[in-house]
């Protein structure tokens, strides 16, 4: 049911009379995918509403509030649970044995699914509306005003653990060595601030299940993966209205390559509306 | 104004350390026992502080708030409750409630400090709190407001108590009102800490801030009944006519608030059962892991038994009141535990259907956590016993030492001074306003 190579911009308006039921269904389905109806909510609406304009019902055109607006897309169908990301994270960020900044969850399907097991990497979602930042009494955890990364200022942490309970993604733990809460900072301290382009986990992943980049840049692969029209993209716990910056899709090994070649996916481009 | 010069100790009803020395051996042994528990608990706390709480506490990454937080909440709920109950009399002028005011305000401060003793050992970096709460405040954080409001609450309560001792009833009334207002703000905000964690469905919503206030009023009534009737065992003289009237009034009030809390609990159960996020917790209360906590401690010991026996006592059977309110305080302790721990038992990824989060989480307090809780509670018990002796059972002076020109107020039991040519009734009206 996927749509290949239709150049919508070049098509003439033929009126609705000549549209067959099948085409109408395809069109609606695509619209739903953009609007994220399959995911149980608006995908684009899950990111910040700052600077947003409503293009049409169900589609919000975004101006992402940070630049670079670091985000990650996890293609969970191609995660093989090798845990190299977890190891790379521990090594890069000096995570103690009793803690973790990222982990891989296992989901077992029963019934007629095409895969019996799926692995879901989880980490800090660097929410645009982070409950941990609101909960912290001393602003020890804060939203970086440039990159949108939720970071820690360890010396201010009083260790009240409110942020641990506020986080709906189990992304935080108390690190004895730092005498503060420790969490994923998209490797800002250890890699990005030193000029690296990828987080340790994304760089270590052998299948490319974690794609890291700048969602504010339409040429970035993360932007393209989130805004493509054909595969459903979702976030974890949308009901908490945290507006996360870690997106999930089933995905395949070829997803990124196809987007780069422009062969398969079409993606939603707000500038052309 | 022709106030008679009297010594501070007489004015305050302060009996000095000699009063403790004169106490019976059993009384001193009880004080020694609690002092010992306090010191042992403190030693456990300091040990944890230096080796790292991670090694000695039962809390985990997922269940980060444990027994210490629930005991802290038990203490501060009781503190706010005592403040609420005391305010009926000496803030709002209801004469029947006045005789309990001094003891209630004293115990309110003691419970608050006891709570602070405990939370000191829960915060990983308690000393940073004093710096960064001031230098880097986050006004959107309930936790910041909790520290700030409870700090202000303690200051007002101490000023109120000082004015009560000094028999400066007009200032004490203002301080009492401010203490009550800040106390209610602080305490509903404590409920708000839980109620605004929207990633935790069991806590989220306006229920807890409201529940905390009514629950505090119930705890306060229960606590003051317990401490008053227990105090009367040590010093039967305390149970004079005005105090008998006060106990009767507070018994009625406590009965009322128990019914309110039953109502709250009933609707918590009914509404929770239809919510996907809350149902696992509610089911664990009804017939799961927390069934004993809920049915026996929280419902039976905390509500049904005290409700029935307080009604039977008619506010007159003081031994019965003492036993039943003492038992109810145990039940109330479990009520607090049943808010804090079960609220964290559903893993955040439970709804994702993953293997790692398929089971409900469990928590068992460690010995360190138990001993530190005992340290806080022993502090309260020790200061209660000391306070009874030091401050002459929180009564004012006995008749023989009422100074010239003053009288013992039949309403509040306090010593009032008459202006020249004023009758006792006129002076009473002046002291207690037009109420």
């Amino acid at each position: 049911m996927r749509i290949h190579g239709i150049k919508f911009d070049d098509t003439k308006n033929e009126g609705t009379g000549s549209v067959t039921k099948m085409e109408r269904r395809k069109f609606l389905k695509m619209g739903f995918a953009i609007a994220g109806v399959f995911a149980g909510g608006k995908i684009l609406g899950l990111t910040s509403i700052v600077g947003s304009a409503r293009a049409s019902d169900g589609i919000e055109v975004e101006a992402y509030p940070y630049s670079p607006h670091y985000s990650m897309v996890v293609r969970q169908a191609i995660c093989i649970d090798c845990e190299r990301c977890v190891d790379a994270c521990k090594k890069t960020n000096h995570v103690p044995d009793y803690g973790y900044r990222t982990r891989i969850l296992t989901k077992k399907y029963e019934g007629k699914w095409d895969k019996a097991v799926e692995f879901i990497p989880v980490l800090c979602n660097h929410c645009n509306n982070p409950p941990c930042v609101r909960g912290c009494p001393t602003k020890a955890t804060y939203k970086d005003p440039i990159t949108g990364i939720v970071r820690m200022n360890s010396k201010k942490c009083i260790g009240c653990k409110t942020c641990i309970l506020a986080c709906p993604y189990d992304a935080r733990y108390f690190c004895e060595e730092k005498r503060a809460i420790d969490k994923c900072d998209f490797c800002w301290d250890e890699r990005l601030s030193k000029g690296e382009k990828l987080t340790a986990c994304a760089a270590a992943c052998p299948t490319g299940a974690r794609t890291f980049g700048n969602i504010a840049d339409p040429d970035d692969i993360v932007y393209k993966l989130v805004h493509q029209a054909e595969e459903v993209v979702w976030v974890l716990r949308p009901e908490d209205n945290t507006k996360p910056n870690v997106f999930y899709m089933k995905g395949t090994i070829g997803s990124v390559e196809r987007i780069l070649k422009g062969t398969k996916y079409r993606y939603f481009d707000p500038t052309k509306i | 104004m022709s106030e008679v010069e009297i010594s501070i100790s007489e004015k305050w009803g302060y009996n000095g350390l000699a009063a403790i020395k004169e106490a019976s051996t059993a009384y001193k042994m009880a004080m020694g026992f609690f002092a010992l528990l306090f010191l042992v608990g403190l030693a456990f706390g300091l040990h944890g502080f230096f080796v790292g709480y991670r090694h000695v506490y039962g809390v985990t990454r997922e269940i980060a708030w444990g027994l210490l937080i629930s005991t802290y909440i038990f203490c501060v709920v009781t503190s706010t409750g005592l403040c609420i109950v005391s305010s009926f009399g000496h803030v709002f002028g209801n004469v029947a409630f006045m005789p309990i005011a001094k003891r209630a305000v004293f115990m309110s401060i003691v419970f608050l400090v006891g709570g602070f003793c405990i939370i000191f050992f829960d915060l990983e970096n308690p000393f940073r709190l004093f710096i960064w709460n001031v230098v880097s405040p986050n006004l959107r954080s309930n936790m910041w407001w909790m520290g700030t409001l409870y700090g202000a609450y303690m200051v007002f309560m101490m000023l109120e108590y000082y004015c009560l001792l000094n028999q400066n009833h007009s200032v004490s009334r203002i301080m009492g009102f401010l203490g009550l207002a800040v106390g209610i703000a602080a305490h509903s905000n404590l409920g708000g800490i839980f109620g605004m964690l929207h990633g935790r469905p069991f806590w989220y919503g306006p229920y807890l801030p409201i529940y905390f206030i009514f629950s505090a009023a119930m705890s306060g009534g229960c606590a003051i009944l317990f401490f008053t009737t227990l105090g009367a065992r040590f010093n039967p003289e305390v149970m004079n006519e005005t105090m008998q009237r006060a106990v009767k009034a507070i018994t009625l009030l406590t009965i009322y608030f128990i019914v309110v809390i039953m109502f709250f609990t009933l609707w918590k159960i009914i509404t929770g059962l239809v919510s996907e996020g809350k149902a696992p917790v509610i089911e664990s209360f009804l017939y799961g892991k927390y069934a004993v906590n809920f049915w026996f401690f929280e419902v039976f010991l905390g509500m049904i038994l005290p409700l029935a026996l307080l009604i039977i006592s008619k506010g007159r059977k003081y031994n019965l009141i003492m036993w039943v309110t003492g038992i109810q305080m145990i039940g109330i302790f479990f009520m607090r535990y049943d808010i804090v721990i079960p609220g964290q038992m559903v893993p955040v990824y439970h709804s994702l259907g993953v293997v790692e989060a398929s089971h409900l989480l469990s928590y068992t307090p460690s010995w360190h956590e138990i001993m530190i809780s005992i340290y806080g509670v022993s502090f309260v018990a020790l200061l209660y016993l000391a306070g009874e002796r030091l401050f002459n059972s929180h009564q004012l002076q006995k008749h023989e030492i009422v100074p010239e020109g003053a009288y013992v107020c039949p309403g509040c039991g306090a010593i009032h001074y008459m202006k020249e040519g004023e009758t006792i009734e006129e002076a009473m009206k002046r002291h207690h306003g037009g109420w």
Side-chain angles (χ1 to χ4, degrees):
Chain A
M1 298 287 262
R2 287 179 180 153
I3 303 158
H4 296 266
I6 302 172
K7 291 177 178 163
F8 283 108
D9 295 327
D10 300 336
T11 52
K12 276 187 266 175
N13 185 350
E14 299 165 347
T16 51
S18 62
V19 179
T20 65
K21 272 188 181 170
M22 194 49 102
E23 277 170 333
R24 196 190 295 247
R25 279 182 57 195
K26 279 182 188 171
F27 180 76
L28 284 174
K29 195 178 172 192
M30 190 184 74
F32 288 151
I34 293 172
V37 172
F38 296 152
K42 288 175 293 185
I43 288 161
L44 302 178
L46 290 165
T47 53
S48 173
I49 55 159
V50 175
S52 74
R54 194 165 284 274
S56 65
D57 278 351
I59 302 173
E60 281 184 23
V61 183
E62 292 289 331
Y64 288 96
Y66 302 100
S67 180
H69 191 124
Y70 288 121
S71 292
M72 187 177 281
V73 177
V74 174
R75 283 172 292 157
Q76 66 183 38
I78 57 175
C79 174
I80 55 169
D81 195 23
C82 65
E83 303 221 331
R84 285 192 204 178
C85 51
V86 178
D87 294 340
C89 174
K90 287 204 168 191
K91 213 174 154 193
T92 308
N93 298 299
H94 318 293
V95 177
D97 292 340
Y98 56 85
Y100 53 84
R101 291 180 173 200
T102 182
R103 71 188 291 209
I104 297 173
L105 302 172
T106 309
K107 183 161 182 170
K108 289 185 177 161
Y109 290 107
E110 286 168 12
K112 296 175 184 174
W113 293 85
D114 53 350
K115 277 185 78 174
V117 183
E118 208 164 71
F119 302 106
I120 309 174
V122 290
L123 66 161
C124 171
N125 281 244
H126 298 278
C127 313
N128 284 359
N129 183 18
C132 53
V133 171
R134 189 196 65 75
C136 178
T138 56
K139 296 185 181 168
T141 191
Y142 62 100
K143 191 85 175 145
D144 189 294
I146 295 164
T147 60
I149 294 174
V150 176
R151 295 177 62 199
M152 281 297 299
N153 186 347
S154 296
K155 71 172 192 290
K156 288 188 183 178
C157 177
I158 64 167
C160 67
K161 290 161 274 189
T162 310
C163 58
I164 296 183
L165 289 159
C167 177
Y169 303 105
D170 190 22
R172 294 170 162 268
Y173 70 98
F174 185 79
C175 176
E176 208 172 56
E177 289 73 12
K178 292 184 174 176
R179 291 217 63 81
I181 302 292
D182 187 46
K183 67 177 289 298
C184 163
D185 62 350
F186 272 161
C187 288
W188 178 262
D189 287 344
E190 299 296 335
R191 289 174 66 99
L192 297 190
S193 65
K194 294 173 183 167
E196 298 261 6
K197 296 287 173 216
L198 289 179
T199 61
C201 55
C205 182
T207 65
R210 292 170 185 248
T211 311
F212 180 75
N214 171 14
I215 200 172
D217 175 7
D219 295 327
D220 195 286
I221 188 67
V222 165
Y223 179 94
K224 293 180 180 182
L225 279 172
V226 172
H227 291 261
Q228 44 77 27
E230 307 206 5
E231 277 204 50
V232 177
V233 179
W234 65 90
V235 295
L236 299 180
R237 295 187 59 129
E239 69 276 16
D240 293 329
N241 194 33
T242 52
K243 305 186 196 303
N245 284 307
V246 174
F247 299 90
Y248 288 81
M249 57 194 286
K250 291 278 181 187
T252 58
I253 300 266
S255 306
V256 174
E257 204 178 326
R258 278 198 295 272
I259 286 176
L260 289 173
K261 287 180 185 164
T263 51
K264 177 142 188 189
Y265 286 119
R266 300 186 63 80
Y267 61 90
F268 171 66
D269 184 351
T271 59
K272 288 188 181 166
I273 287 183
Chain B
M1 184 78 71
S2 69
E3 289 197 3
V4 185
E5 283 297 317
I6 51 166
S7 72
I8 288 290
S9 70
E10 270 184 41
K11 195 171 183 182
W12 284 8
Y14 175 67
N15 279 358
L17 291 174
I20 292 179
K21 281 186 193 153
E22 287 162 15
S24 69
T25 315
Y27 199 92
K28 279 187 227 167
M29 277 175 70
M31 282 185 72
F33 174 70
F34 286 119
L36 190 69
L37 280 183
F38 173 80
L39 290 174
V40 171
L42 180 65
F44 270 86
L46 290 171
H47 176 252
F49 186 78
F50 288 111
V51 301
Y53 298 140
R54 185 174 71 78
H55 305 283
V56 293
Y57 286 0
V59 288
T60 57
R61 175 187 181 122
E62 291 84 10
I63 296 195
W65 284 347
L67 179 68
L68 295 186
I69 294 288
S70 89
T71 316
Y72 163 73
I73 287 173
F74 170 76
C75 286
V76 296
V77 170
T78 313
S79 171
T80 315
L82 287 164
C83 169
I84 292 173
V85 173
S86 79
S87 72
F88 287 116
H90 79 115
V91 175
F92 298 114
N94 193 327
V95 176
F97 290 92
M98 283 179 183
I100 55 110
K102 271 185 88 181
R103 184 185 272 112
V105 174
F106 177 80
M107 287 311 293
S108 173
I109 297 167
V110 168
F111 266 103
L112 188 64
V113 176
F116 287 161
C117 285
I118 294 167
I119 205 166
F120 178 87
F121 289 115
D122 187 75
L123 294 177
E124 297 278 356
N125 306 308
F127 299 112
R128 290 185 194 172
L129 169 76
F130 300 104
I131 306 163
W132 296 109
N133 235 35
V134 179
V135 178
S136 178
N138 180 8
L139 301 187
R140 293 171 69 215
S141 161
N142 299 93
M143 206 65 178
W144 184 83
W145 283 103
M146 185 188 88
T148 310
L149 289 171
Y150 272 124
Y153 171 66
M154 188 155 85
V155 171
F156 284 129
M157 293 305 278
M158 284 182 164
L159 286 173
E160 179 187 9
Y161 188 62
Y162 174 77
C163 294
L164 273 179
L165 284 180
N166 243 348
Q167 296 170 36
N168 189 345
H169 286 282
S170 51
V171 178
S172 141
R173 194 171 185 177
I174 295 166
M175 289 304 147
F177 179 75
L178 291 173
L180 177 71
V182 175
I184 286 187
H187 197 59
S188 55
N189 173 69
L190 180 64
I193 289 182
F194 296 97
M196 288 178 74
L197 292 178
H198 55 284
R200 307 278 171 170
F202 180 67
W203 290 336
Y204 175 68
Y207 174 87
L208 281 177
I210 305 169
Y211 171 84
F212 265 40
I213 294 300
F214 284 96
S215 190
M218 178 185 78
S219 305
C222 163
I224 197 62
L225 283 177
F226 177 70
F227 291 124
T228 306
T229 47
L230 185 64
R233 292 272 287 240
F234 303 140
N235 181 6
E237 216 176 296
V238 169
M239 203 48 90
N240 56 24
E241 250 176 55
T242 54
M243 190 57 97
Q244 287 174 0
R245 188 164 56 150
V247 168
K248 218 169 172 180
I250 292 164
T251 304
L252 199 65
L253 192 79
T254 309
I255 289 170
Y256 165 74
F257 280 119
I258 292 173
V259 175
V260 172
I261 291 304
M262 286 175 136
F263 188 71
F264 264 92
T265 307
L266 182 68
W267 278 107
K268 175 173 79 182
I269 299 299
I270 295 174
T271 56
L273 279 174
V274 298
S275 151
E276 190 194 354
K278 293 181 184 186
V281 184
I282 301 292
E283 281 161 12
S284 80
F285 283 158
L286 296 182
Y287 43 79
K289 206 158 59 179
Y290 289 92
V292 175
N293 272 17
F294 180 72
W295 288 115
F296 181 70
F297 287 103
E298 187 173 340
V299 175
F300 182 69
L301 294 191
M303 297 177 212
I304 292 174
L305 188 72
L307 179 69
L309 294 184
L310 284 180
I311 289 173
I312 289 170
S313 79
K314 293 184 175 159
R316 286 199 298 263
K317 294 175 184 158
Y318 304 119
N319 271 344
L320 180 64
I321 294 176
M322 185 188 82
W323 283 107
V324 76
T325 48
I327 288 168
Q328 191 189 6
M329 284 178 78
I330 297 169
I332 290 172
F333 178 84
F334 279 86
M335 273 182 212
R336 310 301 166 233
Y337 190 86
D338 288 351
I339 292 169
V340 177
I341 315 301
Q344 304 166 69
M345 68 191 279
V346 181
V348 289
Y349 290 119
H350 195 61
S351 57
L352 197 59
V354 290
V355 177
E356 288 83 352
S358 55
H359 297 291
L360 296 179
L361 301 164
S362 65
Y363 160 80
T364 314
S366 72
W367 275 107
H368 273 74
E369 288 170 302
I370 292 168
M371 288 311 295
I372 293 166
S373 299
I374 288 175
Y375 138 84
V377 174
S378 307
F379 173 83
V380 172
L382 182 63
L383 278 229
Y384 167 71
L385 292 175
E388 289 294 317
R389 298 298 301 180
L390 289 175
F391 294 103
N392 191 19
S393 304
H394 300 282
Q395 289 310 287
L396 292 131
Q397 290 95 324
K398 293 169 193 170
H399 280 274
E400 55 266 33
I401 53 169
V402 173
E404 213 178 307
Y407 67 96
V408 176
C409 173
C412 67
I415 300 242
H416 288 170
Y417 292 93
M418 287 174 280
K419 285 181 178 174
E420 241 177 304
E422 202 176 37
T423 65
I424 288 185
E425 267 177 36
E426 279 163 354
M428 197 179 148
K429 261 187 193 165
R430 182 166 55 81
H431 277 289
H432 294 301
W435 301 72

